Every structure is written in structure tokens, then in C-alpha cells.
């Protein structure tokens, strides 16, 4: 392979934060889980991963260099395939999920991998270190793996700008940082058990204003426990601003939505639409350039201090982060004797966020998944929250009371 043609891109400021998150609680990874039935030949799957990863070199990266001068560089090494047995894992919670034998180390790799979990149903779990890919980029790589399984040519990706470089090509205006004053949909921490946990539920049918309804639910729950402001973050894929982009890297910028006590789901949805119409996703946070030259070890110390302060005060940067990956075609994620029946997304695990929800549509249903720090989720609080959310959504759509 010609060294001069190796794929590489400069690390971004945000990606340096994701490196720290991985050091605190590894692996800090996007996880797309595809459930289904059929037979998958291990070698055929390995070959498909190799073909798709050759077309998407962002799946084969390691970090070279230091500080803001560091770059992600293609190793040319195919992400590994691991196999495991489902055992007693139900697929509806993090409890019992087979772990990975590696922590996706950014310096030596791999930073992406695939896990085949055998059972009924079969589950394929696709991991990407969040400092190398976002959720949409991971989905692109995964879709190309299934293309290869079906004998089709992968679409591939060759975009080599990070999100800061891309956004700066449109807009260099910055927005002020969000104050850490937001209340959250649970009471204060119980104990100090480290780590995160998640729960998954499936709802069937069509749900209008889904993010608006979830945001209103989060706000109502938060105000049961404290008085204060509620702000939800909505990750936005900025690829929407350039239709020809083929990219696996981090091209997601958050917009912030304040949810006042009197807001309805329709008003929240209108607020989201208004921010998108104003291209607020093309505004990065106002941070001094000096932060690019602070060693990760010092940044980690500061982040851990802030994280502990959030637990102590009950006030956070966000009340919740709500990520809607939209509808994903089951046909696109089938192939090689495997037929997908559902797809869900497990967000990167961090105690910095008190409540991280992902929603993914496939077939006639929507998968909802909530991830929370264990000390906020324990004593069945996360189970109560997600079950109450499902009841709220089903009643809201059935009666129109909350529209």
C-alpha cells in the first residue's frame, strides 16, 4: 500500500474529549445491535468486514501524535470479529451482555470491531470508538458490511475533515457554553457505584412528534424532584448540509432546547425545527483555542471534578441527551443468510450525562433505549423511568392529550 495515499484526518477538539471519556470508562463506543435469524458463516462475515473496512478506512484508525497536532491514521488492519454466546442475556438491558475482550485502545487499535453473539435471536454488535466515528458514520460502515455480505459493492467513504473543519467552512460564529444548572429526571445519586447501565423497550405503531413528547416527559419527571431549568441536547448530523458527503467520522453537533413547564410536544418540535432552520447545528461552542494544547491527563482531572460536582449538586450540563437515528431499513442490515428483525443503538457510556436516550425505527416498531449512570439508575429507577415513558407515549398517541 502506498503510504502517501493512506487515509488520515486531524483529530478534533471534541474527539479529544471522547478520548478522555474512553480513559475514564472504556470502551466509550457507539454500539449498533442488529437482531435477527438465520445462519452466518464466520469466514464469510470476516471477509465482508474486510471488504467494507477497505472501502471505509475510518474503521481502521489509530492515533498518531499528540495534543491538537495528533492525527487519525489508517492502519490497513481489518477490525476483528469476536464471537460469544448470549447465555442468559435478554437483549433488553446491559445486565448479562457479553463484554468485549479489548477496550478499543486508540494508540494501538483496534478502534472498531464486530461481535457475533450466538443465540436465539442472533445478535451482531458493531462497535466504534466514538473518537473515530459518530452514530451515523457507524451505521454507514455497518450497512456496507451487509452490502458485502450480499455480494454488492460497498458505498465507501473518503471524507477527511473533522467536524470543526467542516463547520468552519460554513460558519465561524460561536455560541456560549451551556451553564451547568439543569435538573434531571431522577432524584440525587444513591451510593457511588461507578459505571453506566441501560434498558431497552420496544413500542409498536406510528408516533408523531416523538422527540417533543420525550422531551416533555423528561421535563415533567425532572420537576417532580427539583425546581429549575430543563435543557435537552439533540445531536444533529451536519452531513445534511452537503449531500455528497460519504463520511464515517464525527460529523454530529448538538442543538440545545429549553423545555419550560408550559411547553407541549408540538411546541418542542417547533423549537427543534426552528433551530435547524437557523442552522444552529453549524455553531460550535465558544471555547478558547488554548484547550487544544492542554494534555489529556489534566483535562481528565478537570472533567472528573465536574462530574463529581454534578452528582453532589444535582445540577448538570444537560437534563438529557435525546438521539433519534430515524428509521433504518431491515433489508439494508440483512445478508449472507442473516435476516434482520430489529436494530437498536446503545450510546457511548459516560457518567457525565445523567440521561441518554436513543430511538431507532425499524419494521413496524421503534426501539427506545435509556442509558444512565448506575448511581442514578439504581433501585429500579431506570426501569420505572423507561416503563413510564412507554406508557406516556402510548397514551399520548392513543388519546392526543399531550399533543
Amino acid at each position: 500500500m502506498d503510504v502517501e495515499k493512506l487515509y488520515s484526518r486531524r483529530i478534533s477538539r471534541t474527539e479529544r474529549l471522547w478520548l478522555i471519556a474512553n480513559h475514564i470508562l472504556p470502551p466509550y463506543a457507539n454500539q449498533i445491535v442488529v437482531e435477527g435469524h438465520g445462519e452466518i458463516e464466520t469466514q464469510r462475515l470476516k471477509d465482508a468486514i474486510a471488504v467494507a473496512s477497505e472501502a471505509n478506512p475510518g474503521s481502521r484508525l489509530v492515533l498518531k501524535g499528540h495534543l491538537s497536532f495528533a492525527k487519525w491514521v489508517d492502519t490497513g488492519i481489518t477490525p476483528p470479529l469476536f464471537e460469544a454466546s448470549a447465555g442468559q442475556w435478554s437483549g433488553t438491558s446491559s445486565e448479562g451482555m457479553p463484554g468485549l475482550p479489548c477496550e478499543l485502545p486508540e494508540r494501538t487499535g483496534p478502534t472498531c470491531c464486530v461481535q457475533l453473539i450466538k443465540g436465539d435471536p442472533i445478535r451482531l454488535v458493531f462497535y466504534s470508538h466514538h473518537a473515530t466515528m459518530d452514530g451515523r458514520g457507524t451505521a454507514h460502515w455497518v450497512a456496507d458490511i451487509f452490502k458485502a455480505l450480499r455480494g454488492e459493492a460497498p458505498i465507501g467513504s473518503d471524507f477527511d475533515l473533522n467536524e470543526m473543519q467542516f463547520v468552519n467552512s460554513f460558519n465561524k460564529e460561536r455560541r456560549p457554553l451551556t451553564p451547568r444548572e439543569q435538573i434531571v429526571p431522577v432524584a440525587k445519586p444513591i451510593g457511588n457505584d461507578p459505571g453506566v447501565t441501560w434498558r431497552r423497550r420496544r413500542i409498536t405503531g406510528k408516533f408523531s412528534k416523538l422527540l417533543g413528547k420525550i422531551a416533555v416527559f423528561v421535563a415533567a419527571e425532572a420537576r417532580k424532584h427539583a425546581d429549575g431549568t430543563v435543557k435537552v441536547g439533540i445531536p444533529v448530523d451536519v452531513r445534511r448540509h452537503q449531500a455528497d458527503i460519504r463520511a464515517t467520522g464525527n460529523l454530529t453537533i448538538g442543538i440545545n432546547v429549553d423545555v419550560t413547564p408550559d411547553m407541549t410536544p408540538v411546541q418542542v418540535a417547533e423549537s427543534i425545527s426552528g433551530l435547524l432552520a437557523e442552522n444552529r447545528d453549524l455553531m460550535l461552542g465558544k471555547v478558547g483555542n488554548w484547550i487544544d494544547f492542554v494534555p489529556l491527563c489534566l483535562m481528565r482531572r478537570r472533567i472528573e471534578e465536574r462530574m463529581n460536582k454534578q452528582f453532589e449538586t444535582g445540577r448538570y450540563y444537560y437534563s438529557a441527551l435525546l438521539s433519534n437515528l430515524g428509521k433504518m431499513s431491515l433489508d439494508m442490515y440483512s445478508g449472507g443468510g442473516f435476516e434482520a428483525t430489529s436494530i437498536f443503538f446503545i450510546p457511548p457510556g459516560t457518567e457525565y450525562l445523567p440521561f441518554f436516550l436513543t430511538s431507532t425505527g425499524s419494521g413496524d416498531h421503534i426501539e427506545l433505549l435509556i442509558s444512565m449512570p448506575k448511581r442514578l439508575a439504581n433501585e429500579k429507577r431506570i426501569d420505572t423511568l423507561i416503563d413510564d415513558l412507554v406508557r406516556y407515549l402510548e397514551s399520548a398517541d392513543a388519546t392526543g392529550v399531550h399533543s
Side-chain angles (χ1 to χ4, degrees):
M1 183 180 292
D2 188 341
V3 174
E4 292 181 356
K5 294 182 179 179
L6 282 177
Y7 174 87
S8 68
R9 72 168 185 270
R10 185 175 176 180
I11 194 170
S12 74
R13 185 175 295 163
T14 303
E15 289 170 348
R16 295 188 75 222
L17 294 177
W18 299 162
L19 291 179
I20 296 169
N22 193 61
H23 295 167
I24 294 173
L25 189 64
Y28 188 66
N30 304 293
Q31 300 170 55
I32 291 180
V33 184
V34 184
E35 288 184 337
H37 301 284
E39 296 292 334
I40 299 181
E41 295 178 11
T42 300
Q43 188 57 51
R44 187 173 179 181
L45 179 55
K46 287 181 177 179
D47 291 344
I49 295 168
V51 169
S53 298
E54 177 71 23
N56 295 277
S59 64
R60 309 185 303 193
L61 303 179
V62 293
L63 191 66
K64 302 289 186 181
H66 298 278
L67 302 177
S68 63
F69 304 107
K71 284 187 175 182
W72 294 109
V73 179
D74 177 18
T75 63
I77 300 173
T78 299
L81 171 67
F82 301 107
E83 296 186 53
S85 170
Q88 299 301 309
W89 184 45
S90 67
T92 60
S93 80
S94 52
E95 307 305 316
M97 182 178 181
L100 273 182
C102 71
E103 297 181 347
L104 304 182
E106 69 269 10
R107 292 287 177 181
T108 60
T111 50
C112 293
C113 66
V114 181
Q115 189 173 40
L116 170 59
I117 301 178
K118 296 179 179 179
D120 186 15
I122 297 171
R123 296 183 179 97
L124 285 163
V125 188
F126 301 87
Y127 290 81
S128 67
H129 193 312
H130 195 12
T132 67
M133 289 189 186
D134 59 10
R136 189 65 63 189
T138 307
H140 178 90
W141 171 57
V142 174
D144 267 358
I145 292 174
F146 281 102
K147 275 183 172 290
L149 274 173
R150 295 192 299 270
E152 301 171 12
I155 295 173
S157 57
D158 55 6
F159 194 72
D160 61 0
L161 297 183
N162 63 41
E163 84 279 3
M164 292 184 65
Q165 294 168 323
F166 179 71
V167 168
N168 284 338
S169 69
F170 289 90
N171 174 36
K172 294 186 178 180
E173 185 179 357
R174 298 294 185 259
R175 62 185 175 199
L177 296 180
T178 301
R180 289 171 176 79
E181 300 173 349
Q182 317 309 317
I183 58 175
V184 298
V186 290
K188 287 191 174 183
I190 298 174
N192 57 5
D193 190 12
V196 298
T197 187
W198 58 262
R199 299 292 185 272
R200 166 193 167 212
R201 298 290 185 270
R202 178 181 296 177
I203 53 178
T204 302
K206 295 182 179 180
F207 295 83
S208 62
K209 309 293 187 295
L210 181 64
L211 283 183
K213 287 176 178 175
I214 295 171
V216 167
F217 171 84
V218 166
E221 290 297 316
R223 293 188 172 105
K224 290 178 182 179
H225 304 288
D227 295 325
T229 57
V230 173
K231 188 184 297 290
V232 298
I234 310 289
V236 178
D237 180 6
V238 296
R239 294 170 182 79
R240 72 190 187 98
H241 296 284
Q242 187 172 321
D244 61 345
I245 285 182
R246 298 179 301 158
T248 57
N250 282 294
L251 289 174
T252 299
I253 307 291
I255 57 173
N256 302 327
V257 181
D258 293 302
V259 186
T260 59
D262 58 341
M263 287 184 80
T264 67
V266 169
Q267 290 171 323
V268 174
E270 289 173 346
S271 179
I272 294 171
S273 297
L275 293 170
L276 293 177
E278 296 169 4
N279 293 332
R280 293 294 185 92
D281 54 317
L282 292 177
M283 290 180 66
L284 297 169
K286 190 174 184 180
V287 179
N289 292 335
W290 56 267
I291 200 169
D292 295 334
F293 304 98
V294 178
L296 293 182
C297 60
L298 297 180
M299 292 174 65
R300 172 176 177 170
R301 186 182 310 166
R302 179 60 174 156
I303 287 172
E304 288 179 322
E305 289 172 355
R306 287 180 175 177
M307 194 162 58
N308 290 331
K309 187 71 172 178
Q310 289 184 153
F311 286 134
E312 291 170 7
T313 63
R315 295 295 187 273
Y316 296 77
Y317 187 76
Y318 285 122
S319 301
L321 199 65
L322 310 179
S323 180
N324 183 7
L325 278 82
K327 189 158 187 176
M328 302 176 75
S329 166
L330 294 174
D331 290 340
M332 284 182 60
Y333 296 88
S334 299
F338 173 82
E339 182 178 352
T341 56
S342 192
I343 304 167
F344 61 96
F345 184 88
I346 305 171
T350 173
E351 293 184 286
Y352 200 78
L353 290 171
F355 183 103
F356 196 153
L357 178 141
T358 64
S359 58
T360 310
S362 56
D364 63 349
H365 60 268
I366 296 172
E367 299 283 5
L368 300 174
L369 191 145
I370 294 175
S371 173
M372 296 174 66
K374 289 182 178 179
R375 65 187 82 179
L376 294 178
N378 54 9
E379 299 196 359
K380 297 190 178 297
R381 290 184 288 175
I382 189 172
D383 300 278
T384 299
L385 265 177
I386 195 166
D387 289 338
D388 286 348
L389 172 60
V390 168
R391 280 191 289 269
Y392 167 75
L393 291 174
E394 291 176 342
S395 66
D397 273 281
T399 65
V401 169
H402 304 290
S403 60

